[in-house]
Amino acid sequence: MNAAQRSARNAFAALALDRAAALRRDSAWLAAARDASGARYVLGLPESLLWTTPAGDALQLLPPDALPPAQRATASLLGCDAAGRAYFRCDAGAAPAAPGQALGLRALAASASAFDAGLAAYALALGHWQRNSRYCPACGNACIHDEAGHRARCTACATTQFPRTDPAVIVLVEHGDAALLGRRPGWPAGRFSTLAGFVEPGETLEDAVRREVAEESGARVIASEYHSSQPWPFPASLMLGFTAQAATRDLTAGDGELAELRWLSRGILRAGLASGALSLPPAFSVAFHLIHDWLARAPD
Ligand SMILES: [Zn+2]
């Protein structure tokens, strides 16, 4: 399995959608596409919720006639599927007076299709950036969003902003037959995951892996390898999964981000998962796949 195939297993990471960036500036195409009967709208609700089916197992994708013309006119273009259907996102101040649910992305990801989970993650991330780019970072004046919602432009000084993504590394550190897993404060007893942290300015991914592991555990990484990636719009991250080799199993107290830190052998982890004494992050996360791929691999 290559990295692209590994990434495609991660939730939010298998969105078969042409983002159609060239059409974002085509106002005539946008106007027609927003009103076309085949167009579908993802509805964003306050507190990062999305409008879903009553069962909460799929996005409720609204046709154009379900929305007022003014709301359609300012909707952001997400892209087009293989059949040419255009998808947009827009916000509403409250849930529609119709059967459905206002649901968060984690709950939706548990049962939605890969397409819906990916579309939901994309729509939420774009909406979050739009709410945070209403004012110019250079002069403080109001910005307008153009290019179908993908650019913010200052009405006073013309400074432009584009949607941002914050890279974070997430690392399965191994030594011999053991993996280094941590438990964050507030997690249930026995729940463990891989180490993670944001990439800092001026840093390579490999440097970020070494630094984050050292900060959180004191372990010294001597080699790392890219595994897979996952959009993680809580609110704007891209998780970059790595495996890494530690020089030794020596640990220090770390920076306090973790409540507990353990080297777990495959045998101990398998037995703990079977008995319920240990648990892992949800199956839609890259951390879950990092740990499962390591469990499935024979010790070096
Ligand atoms: Zn400005």
Side-chain angles (χ1 to χ4, degrees):
M1 194 182 290
N2 63 31
Q5 291 164 330
R6 288 194 294 268
S7 290
R9 296 178 307 172
N10 299 330
F12 320 130
L15 178 60
L17 192 76
D18 175 358
R19 293 184 178 229
L23 295 173
R24 293 172 189 164
R25 296 181 186 181
D26 188 336
S27 52
W29 182 88
L30 284 168
R34 285 183 169 120
D35 291 347
S37 61
R40 290 294 179 268
Y41 289 78
V42 178
L43 195 61
L45 297 168
E47 298 177 16
S48 296
L49 301 179
L50 293 159
W51 188 233
T52 74
T53 55
D57 56 357
L59 283 171
Q60 194 153 188
L61 296 166
L62 302 174
D65 58 11
L67 299 164
Q71 203 172 9
R72 295 202 297 270
T74 56
S76 305
L77 176 66
L78 297 173
C80 301
D81 67 14
R85 182 191 293 282
Y87 294 83
F88 295 88
R89 74 159 297 282
C90 59
D91 285 315
Q101 268 202 71
L103 215 58
L105 186 57
R106 282 186 173 86
L108 182 65
S111 51
S113 69
F115 183 85
D116 275 22
L119 194 66
Y122 176 17
L124 271 184
L126 188 61
H128 177 266
W129 170 75
Q130 288 171 349
R131 285 190 297 281
N132 285 281
S133 56
R134 288 179 294 191
Y135 297 97
C136 176
C139 76
N141 277 288
C143 291
I144 56 155
H145 289 100
D146 59 7
E147 299 199 354
H150 292 261
R151 184 175 79 162
R153 188 166 52 80
C154 176
T155 52
C157 77
T159 291
T160 51
Q161 302 174 70
F162 296 91
R164 58 176 286 174
T165 294
D166 301 327
V169 291
I170 182 158
V171 193
L172 185 132
V173 183
E174 55 185 308
H175 184 272
D177 182 38
L180 179 60
L181 300 179
R183 188 174 68 79
R184 292 191 178 274
W187 283 5
R191 177 167 167 188
F192 283 86
S193 187
T194 46
L195 310 189
F198 286 105
V199 180
E200 295 198 343
E203 196 170 44
T204 65
L205 296 176
E206 293 79 6
D207 286 345
V209 166
R210 273 194 295 274
R211 177 184 52 75
E212 276 295 339
V213 171
E215 284 177 4
E216 293 193 3
S217 72
R220 187 164 65 86
V221 164
I222 52 174
S224 61
E225 190 172 350
Y226 174 67
H227 176 274
S228 65
S229 62
Q230 180 180 38
W232 196 248
F234 304 105
S237 297
L238 174 67
M239 304 305 287
L240 297 149
F242 279 80
T243 56
Q245 306 290 328
T248 68
R249 295 191 190 182
D250 293 344
L251 303 176
T252 59
D255 58 9
E257 273 194 41
L258 297 171
E260 201 179 342
L261 198 60
R262 287 174 67 180
W263 285 104
L264 292 167
S265 70
R266 288 177 172 84
I268 287 174
L269 182 55
R270 280 201 194 96
L273 294 174
S275 72
L278 297 175
S279 64
L280 298 179
F284 63 76
S285 63
V286 63
F288 176 90
H289 289 294
L290 279 166
I291 296 168
H292 266 259
D293 286 355
W294 169 76
L295 271 177
R297 186 157 39 84
D300 295 330

